[in-house]
Amino acid sequence: MTSPVSYELVDDIGVISVANPPVNALSHAVRQGIHDALAAAQQDASKAVLVICEGRTFIAGADITEFGKPPREPHLPDLCNTIEASSKPVVAAIHGTALGGGLEVALSCHYRCAVPAAKVGLPEVKLGLLPGAGGTQRLPRLIGATPALDMMTSGNPVDAARAASLGLIDQLVDGDLRTAALAWCRELAAKDAPRRKTSELTADSVAEGVLEQYRSTIAKRARGQVAPQKIVDCVEASLTRPFAEGLQIEREKFIECMQSPQSAALRHMFFAEREAAKIQGLSKDSPQRDVNKVGIIGGGTMGSGIAMNFANAGMQVVLLEINDEALARGLAIIDRNYKGGVKRGKLSEDQALACRGRIAGATDYQSLSDADLVIEAVFENLDLKKEVFAKLDATCRQGAILATNTSYQDVDSIAAATKRPRDVIGLHFFSPAHIMKLLEVVRASATADDVLATCMALAKKIRKVPVVSGVCYGFIGNRMLGHYAREAQLCVIEGATPEQVDGAMEDWGMAMGPLAVFDLAGLDVGYKARQGLPEAERGDPRAYRVADALVEMNRLGQKTGAGFYRYDPETRQRSSDPEVQALIEREAAALGVERRELEASEIVDRLLFALVNEGMNILDEGIAQRPGDIDVVYVYGYGFPAWRGGPMHYADAVGLAQVHERIREFERRFGSENWTPAPLLERLASAGMTLADWAKSQVN
Ligand code: T1G
Ligand code: NAD
């Protein structure tokens, strides 16, 4: 096997080149290759050593696929110390993204240069880890404790200019990186430049209370997560301990993180998100259609946000509404969103103007005749949507992609309203559509492969995380949510207060409890959907009577200042409302429900296992391609904590046998109408298989 690392003497500079596509991850072979090349450089005529990478990026970190396997020498912390101890100056030349172990390698070099477009960062915290190869000890010494804490606890990269201003990058080079870096090496060698060892620097002390301030800020921002706090511990060591001791403390805490369920969950999410972009049976080079002009029908809550995504990605957009008044309302929402974005520093005034300039308004379908893609976002009514698609069929050019943003409706029926069902697909955005990252791509039975491939690639272009779903009522996310919502409202009518239900779920890690989410989305959305169904299909009345009564009292949620909670008009702070408690007790009595105390553990299990059980059915029916896709849907669309890995990963972490047993207990206590163990769960639990095993068996 040829090594992914090559070494050559270029005049009197030793050049170590790493070529391990796609992202030059620090696999064992790369570590061994760098180690051997460096050893050679110590012995040869080189006056300085250059570390550079081929392909699209500098080293983007340790090889995450090696985690959990027996570690092999050279270990990365030792390799970094070896680089720093080199008898000759070592220079890192950075392009693309120098991340994690990649930046730690650069930090152990004596000098760093980069192209202006480069980015550098320590994103380990996003994997539930901390920089484990000296980063927590070298970075504070080089740039100061506070910027180091910002970089490591956020995990966000900084651009080359910022890195240079921090002293992290010594030189920004224009033109060809290798040529410029070699010239710089010669210059350093010519002036016998010192080997600047970052480990020998002293980190500037921080003011009293700064570290405590960080701990409390992190406790709020990264609620429930362990790695960020351990990073603060390591930085504290960099301020108070000799380098070697700090490195030891870093190693101990790194291993604690590596063995934590949180890191296992976040590493699962890293790969699940990338897997979700792959469509079983469709190669990644599948042909695609060109999309430059996009039409949006309906400029309400969703249409306005959807329009911004495409304008932000540089495409021409036409927003079509039913009349001028409604159009003005839609464009006003867009203007407000851009104004808010500029205020929050998300984009500059000029960028906002340029994006807004790409959005034109219309009320005549002819304006969509040359669109490459049209996305419908009118009221959630099947007949209205079919009417709109019939008009699009008559207006749009052949080859245009026709998409619906419906939350629940049958995309096959909508497609059947046209003579070109192959060009019809579901593109289900989440509110607020210009912010939420999830995009459910609904593959209808006739959807053409190139339409699907085009939409998956487009999702990446508009910075969304796409997940493919088959056609069923509510697709993946909303279908499962129905079961989660049922249990939330049953827990309320059986005796828990809204605060207890939401408190239990938020303490467990959900970004927001279910009742508060219903208030945010608007209780009328669910009410209208139920009103559209015959009573017999609305499910267990105990699970919606309170919500219906609140809507009939015009308590629609945040938008009317009251729903399950009352909301402060200024701060939007929620508070409990005795009027709601009285209503709940009245409805419970009317439905003959005997109320009781509910433990938080029961609430958590009922809501999460309701999700898991329905997730199992969705997998069994092939609506979702793989368990990881469901996890991506819930983490990016429903505020499920990434450090819990999504509902399906969580079920595996708890153990399917235990989940199955708990669901059978609920079946005995609450009846099979709401609790029938999913056949797939029964099969896996009795076979002692995990979902991860099952997913592998499905691929092979
Ligand atoms: N290890 C293994 N595989 C990796 C990888 C890594 N570090 N990074 C990416 N890949 C794979 C990825 O799965 C995908 O595979 C392909 O490369 C392209 O990635 C001791 C312990 C670099 C910004 O966290 O953020 O160092 O799906 O689709 O959008 O302190 O990848 O094609 O089969 O994401 O252009 C720290 C992780 C590790 C960076 C490129 N490093 N990577 O984004 O491509 S922990 C990270 C990224 C560490 C040390 C610790 C991004 C990227 P496939 P992609 P992209
Ligand atoms: P909305 O009521 O805010 O907006 C709908 C817009 O469609 C209105 O502005 C209306 O004037 C316009 N409209 C109605 N009939 C039209 C027609 N024939 N031609 C052109 N415009 C027409 O609704 P919304 O919340 O934006 O929902 C739109 C769609 O998106 C629905 O299918 C809904 O289920 C789905 N959706 C909503 C959310 C959400 O959280 N609100 C999330 C995902 C998907």
Side-chain angles (χ1 to χ4, degrees), residues 430-431 436-439 631-640:
F430 287 74
S431 179
M436 292 297 282
K437 289 198 55 88
L438 180 66
L439 179 62
D631 293 333
V632 171
V633 163
Y634 263 76
V635 167
Y636 282 104
Y638 296 83
F640 199 101

Side-chain angles (χ1 to χ4, degrees), residues 71-117:
R72 298 171 61 193
E73 292 188 355
H75 300 308
L76 192 53
D78 305 330
L79 179 64
C80 288
N81 289 346
T82 306
I83 293 171
E84 194 178 64
S86 161
S87 60
K88 303 170 183 186
V90 184
V91 175
I94 298 170
H95 74 293
T97 52
L99 301 175
L103 181 55
E104 290 174 298
V105 164
L107 282 168
S108 65
C109 295
H110 307 116
Y111 297 89
R112 288 156 291 278
C113 64
V115 293

Side-chain angles (χ1 to χ4, degrees), residues 80-159:
C80 288
N81 289 346
T82 306
I83 293 171
E84 194 178 64
S86 161
S87 60
K88 303 170 183 186
V90 184
V91 175
I94 298 170
H95 74 293
T97 52
L99 301 175
L103 181 55
E104 290 174 298
V105 164
L107 282 168
S108 65
C109 295
H110 307 116
Y111 297 89
R112 288 156 291 278
C113 64
V115 293
K119 288 185 185 302
V120 300
L122 294 174
E124 284 85 347
V125 73
K126 295 184 177 180
L127 297 169
L129 299 170
L130 51 84
T136 68
Q137 301 307 303
R138 287 193 172 92
L139 192 64
R141 283 175 165 79
L142 188 62
I143 69 171
T146 307
L149 276 166
D150 287 344
M151 282 181 70
M152 291 190 279
T153 56
S154 71
N156 297 329
V158 295
D159 62 31

Side-chain angles (χ1 to χ4, degrees), residues 22-23 25 56 60-65 67 76 97 99-101 104 123-124 127 129-133 254 270-271 274 278 460:
V23 296
R56 63 180 164 154
D63 187 334
I64 307 170
T65 62
F67 292 174
L76 192 53
T97 52
L99 301 175
E104 290 174 298
E124 284 85 347
L127 297 169
L129 299 170
L130 51 84
F254 176 79
F270 177 86
F271 289 113
R274 284 151 183 82
K278 298 168 187 161
K460 209 164 183 182

Side-chain angles (χ1 to χ4, degrees), residues 385-556:
K385 291 180 188 293
K386 290 165 89 168
E387 203 188 292
V388 168
F389 271 72
K391 272 195 196 155
L392 291 174
D393 194 21
T395 312
C396 294
R397 70 170 181 77
Q398 287 306 315
I401 296 174
L402 309 180
T404 172
N405 181 54
T406 180
S407 305
Y408 292 90
Q409 304 303 328
D410 179 354
V411 182
D412 286 329
S413 310
I414 294 173
T418 73
K419 290 185 272 325
R420 47 173 120 176
R422 289 171 48 78
D423 302 335
V424 176
I425 193 166
L427 290 180
H428 182 212
F429 290 77
F430 287 74
S431 179
H434 63 297
I435 293 173
M436 292 297 282
K437 289 198 55 88
L438 180 66
L439 179 62
E440 273 185 331
V441 178
V442 183
R443 183 185 204 167
S445 49
T447 302
D449 287 352
D450 65 341
V451 168
L452 188 57
T454 305
C455 292
M456 295 299 278
L458 210 49
K460 209 164 183 182
K461 204 167 168 195
I462 60 172
R463 299 170 180 278
K464 300 297 182 191
V465 176
V467 174
V468 175
S469 172
V471 172
C472 66
Y473 187 75
F475 319 122
I476 297 172
N478 284 345
R479 174 174 161 181
M480 290 167 67
L481 189 72
H483 297 261
Y484 176 85
R486 177 199 69 225
E487 289 306 311
Q489 297 184 72
L490 283 174
C491 289
V492 164
I493 203 126
E494 289 171 26
T497 62
E499 296 74 15
Q500 282 170 333
V501 172
D502 284 352
M505 297 315 293
E506 287 163 8
D507 290 350
W508 183 84
M510 293 301 277
M512 187 186 272
L515 290 310
V517 169
F518 303 151
D519 276 358
L520 181 68
L523 300 177
D524 53 327
V525 177
Y527 183 82
K528 281 189 198 139
R530 279 190 295 278
Q531 295 303 311
L533 292 172
E535 184 120 10
E537 287 175 35
R538 292 182 193 166
D540 187 334
R542 295 170 306 158
Y544 60 77
R545 272 297 315 135
V546 172
D548 282 5
L550 289 169
V551 171
E552 284 144 15
M553 294 157 70
N554 197 35
R555 295 179 64 118
L556 308 185

